[in-house]
């Protein structure tokens, strides 16, 4: 989960309420949310706290009505498009039709496990083998240590 940045005007109690609401939202949904879904919980929690505390958005009633009108116009004109399901499934589709799971959709633990290898694993090749004729650094180390 990314580091949470609370609004600057939140008290410690507001932060606790926010964390509790996010936790309850995760529990109610019952599955691990991707980041493109998690923002909805974040938004709902912040809206709940703002309503609970009476925090004002700073918009006048006229400005809110104008935003609603513009949104409705864009929706009716067809300029608001919903992303395809593949967007929410973290699927990348190439122009040749090939599809694969988006690399950034995996948690950090997945990559940690993928890259974790024992230092002396014989199945993992060295980047530059020590006996390679072009391995200048290994030769210089051998000269410095007097093992050459």
């Amino acid at each position: 989960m990314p580091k949470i940045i609370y609004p600057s005007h939140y008290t410690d109690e507001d932060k606790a309420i926010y964390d509790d609401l996010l936790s309850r939202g995760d529990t109610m949904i019952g599955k691990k949310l991707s980041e493109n879904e998690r923002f909805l919980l974040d938004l709902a929690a912040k809206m709940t706290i703002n309503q609970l505390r009476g925090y004002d958005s700073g918009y006048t009633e006229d400005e809110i009505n104008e935003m609603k009108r513009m949104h409705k116009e864009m929706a009716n004109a067809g300029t608001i498009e919903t992303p395809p399901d593949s967007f929410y499934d973290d699927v990348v589709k190439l122009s040749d039709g090939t599809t694969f799971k988006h690399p950034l959709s995996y948690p950090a633990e997945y990559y940690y496990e993928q890259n974790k290898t024992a230092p002396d694993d014989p199945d993992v090749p060295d980047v530059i083998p020590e006996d390679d004729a072009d391995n200048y650094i290994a030769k210089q180390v051998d000269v410095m240590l007097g093992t050459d």
Side-chain angles (χ1 to χ4, degrees):
M1 186 154 113
K3 184 177 187 305
I4 296 172
I5 300 173
Y6 301 101
S8 59
H9 62 277
Y10 274 19
T11 64
D12 288 338
E13 185 180 3
D14 292 339
K15 292 175 186 177
I17 292 170
Y18 175 87
D19 291 340
D20 181 53
L21 288 171
L22 248 56
S23 175
R24 288 179 191 216
D26 272 340
T27 303
M28 287 176 65
I29 291 171
K31 70 173 189 133
K32 184 171 170 71
L33 293 174
S34 64
E35 289 308 311
N36 59 352
E37 296 169 326
R38 180 168 289 288
F39 86 95
L40 293 172
L41 280 180
D42 172 70
L43 186 62
K46 287 178 180 174
M47 288 170 52
T48 302
I49 292 170
N50 288 348
Q51 187 176 19
L52 175 72
R53 299 289 186 216
Y55 296 143
D56 187 16
S57 65
Y59 294 112
T60 65
E61 194 65 35
D62 291 337
E63 290 172 321
I64 292 171
N65 289 333
E66 177 65 14
M67 284 188 262
K68 286 179 182 179
R69 186 191 62 75
M70 288 174 59
H71 184 274
K72 189 172 185 176
E73 274 181 22
M74 288 189 283
N76 290 337
T79 54
I80 297 177
E81 295 181 14
T82 303
D85 289 339
S86 62
F87 174 80
Y88 296 105
D89 295 335
D90 295 324
V91 175
V92 175
K93 184 175 183 178
L94 302 179
S95 58
D96 66 358
T98 308
T99 60
F100 57 91
K101 190 166 172 82
H102 195 290
L104 297 178
S105 67
Y106 294 103
E109 294 81 16
Y110 169 81
Y111 288 108
Y112 175 77
E113 288 297 324
Q114 291 291 318
N115 296 321
K116 186 171 66 171
T117 58
D120 295 328
D121 190 347
D123 295 332
V124 178
D126 292 331
V127 176
I128 301 175
E130 287 185 30
D131 58 350
D132 189 336
D134 294 328
N135 195 341
Y136 175 79
I137 295 174
K139 290 178 188 173
Q140 291 301 316
V141 171
D142 289 342
V143 168
M144 288 172 36
L145 294 175
T147 58
D148 187 32

